[in-house]
Structure formats: C-alpha cells, structure tokens
C-alpha cells in the first residue's frame, strides 16, 4: 500500500507471447485501488526486461523494486525497478558467473540496500537434482544496480550441508 494504492505483479499475462516458448505472457506490474480500479504499469515482453515476476514489490525512495524468475540478458532472472508511472529498468541480470539464478522471493530493504535470494546458481554445483544448476545464493544489490553475492549455498561434504535452494524471502 502506497498512498492508498496497492502495487503487485502477475507471473503470466500481459503480452500475448514471450521469447523462448513461454506462451502464457511474460507477466505484469500493476496497481489497484481499494475500490477495484486496476491499471497495468508494465508488461514484460521482450525477454531482456525479465519474464515471470513471482514475488511482490517493495517501495524504496519513490520507486518499486522486484525480481523476475526468468528472462534478462542471460535468461535466468532479473532485479528491476519501476516508477509509479510505469518506467521499468533492469538493475541486474542473473546468470553471468556465480551470481545466482532464478530468484523467486521478494526483496527486502535494509538501510537503502536491497537483499534477496536466488533458488539456483552460486559457487557450488553438484550432481544432486537441487544443486545441479547451483544451490542458490543470498545477495545484496544497491538501487543503482551494484550486486554482490553474500553467500553461496552448497558448501560442506557432498554439497548442501549449509542448505540448498532458498526460495523464500529473507
């Protein structure tokens, strides 16, 4: 709730098709008033702006911040910002190295820095199903887009002794 208006995301819908065979639409960011007046602020659609936002938004400094589970430059999710008027900007594209992949949870704000998790990716890869594509990460990102991995899950004997596949918010 910001100023009596609610903001959210839909995982599907918006544009009729997405790149890569994602045929249900790439998702949207919307606002809705308590009386039910809804407006789509952004339709994810070209793939590089993200696909499938699965988490809610957080409001920080007059903008909203969120994640997409797929899409972006490397196809493995994004962190984005969007203004109340609908101007969307990708702050980080996951999948370039060990930065994590496929975020599914909402971000949190701590003193102007955003924090989140990715369900896969990171520094450790094992043959188990959950860690085949990496065991996940905890990351921080500034509103200007400087991302840093705080922890890669999957360390320990055989992998995953410290946990695997974080999909919930911090």
């Amino acid at each position: 709730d910001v100023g009596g208006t609610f903001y959210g995301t839909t995982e599907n819908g918006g544009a009729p098709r997405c790149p890569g065979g994602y045929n249900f639409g790439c998702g949207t960011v919307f606002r809705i008033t308590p009386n039910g007046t809804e407006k789509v602020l952004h339709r994810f659609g070209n793939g590089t702006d993200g696909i499938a936002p699965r988490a809610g938004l957080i409001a920080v400094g007059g903008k909203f911040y969120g994640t997409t589970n797929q899409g972006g430059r490397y196809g493995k999710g994004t962190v984005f910002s969007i203004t109340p008027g609908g101007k969307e900007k990708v702050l980080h594209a996951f999948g370039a190295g060990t930065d994590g992949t496929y975020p599914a949870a909402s971000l949190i704000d701590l003193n102007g820095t955003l924090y989140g998790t990715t369900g896969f990716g990171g520094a450790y890869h094992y043959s188990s199903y959950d860690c085949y594509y990496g065991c996940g990460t905890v990351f921080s990102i500034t509103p200007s887009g400087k991302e840093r991995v705080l922890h890669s899950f999957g360390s320990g004997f055989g992998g995953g002794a410290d946990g695997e596949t974080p999909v919930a918010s911090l």
Side-chain angles (χ1 to χ4, degrees):
D1 171 31
V2 176
T5 301
F6 304 104
Y7 293 81
T9 63
T10 65
E11 179 178 7
N12 302 121
R17 292 195 172 269
C18 277
Y22 205 83
N23 293 325
F24 305 111
C26 299
T28 68
V29 175
F30 67 92
R31 73 177 181 221
I32 189 165
T33 64
N35 70 5
T37 303
E38 186 254 2
K39 179 179 180 180
V40 173
L41 298 177
H42 181 73
R43 289 176 177 84
F44 293 95
N46 65 15
T48 59
D49 63 341
I51 296 172
R54 292 185 175 168
L57 302 169
I58 62 166
V60 178
K63 292 183 182 177
F64 298 98
Y65 295 87
T67 61
T68 64
N69 182 256
Q70 299 171 46
R73 183 176 181 185
Y74 306 103
K76 298 179 179 179
T78 68
V79 174
F80 67 91
S81 67
I82 188 165
T83 66
K87 184 173 164 79
E88 190 255 5
K89 178 181 178 183
V90 173
L91 301 177
H92 181 74
F94 290 99
T98 60
D99 63 338
T101 58
Y102 306 113
S106 295
L107 300 168
I108 65 167
D109 170 40
L110 181 62
N111 299 322
T113 299
L114 308 173
Y115 295 86
T117 60
T118 64
F120 297 96
Y124 303 103
H125 298 265
Y126 300 99
S127 59
S128 74
Y129 172 77
D130 287 343
C131 284
Y132 185 77
Y133 295 105
C135 298
T137 68
V138 174
F139 67 90
S140 67
I141 187 165
T142 65
S144 64
K146 183 167 174 41
E147 190 257 2
R148 181 171 73 107
V149 173
L150 303 175
H151 181 73
S152 286
F153 289 97
S155 66
F157 179 74
D162 63 342
E164 300 176 7
T165 321
V167 293
S169 296
L170 295 170

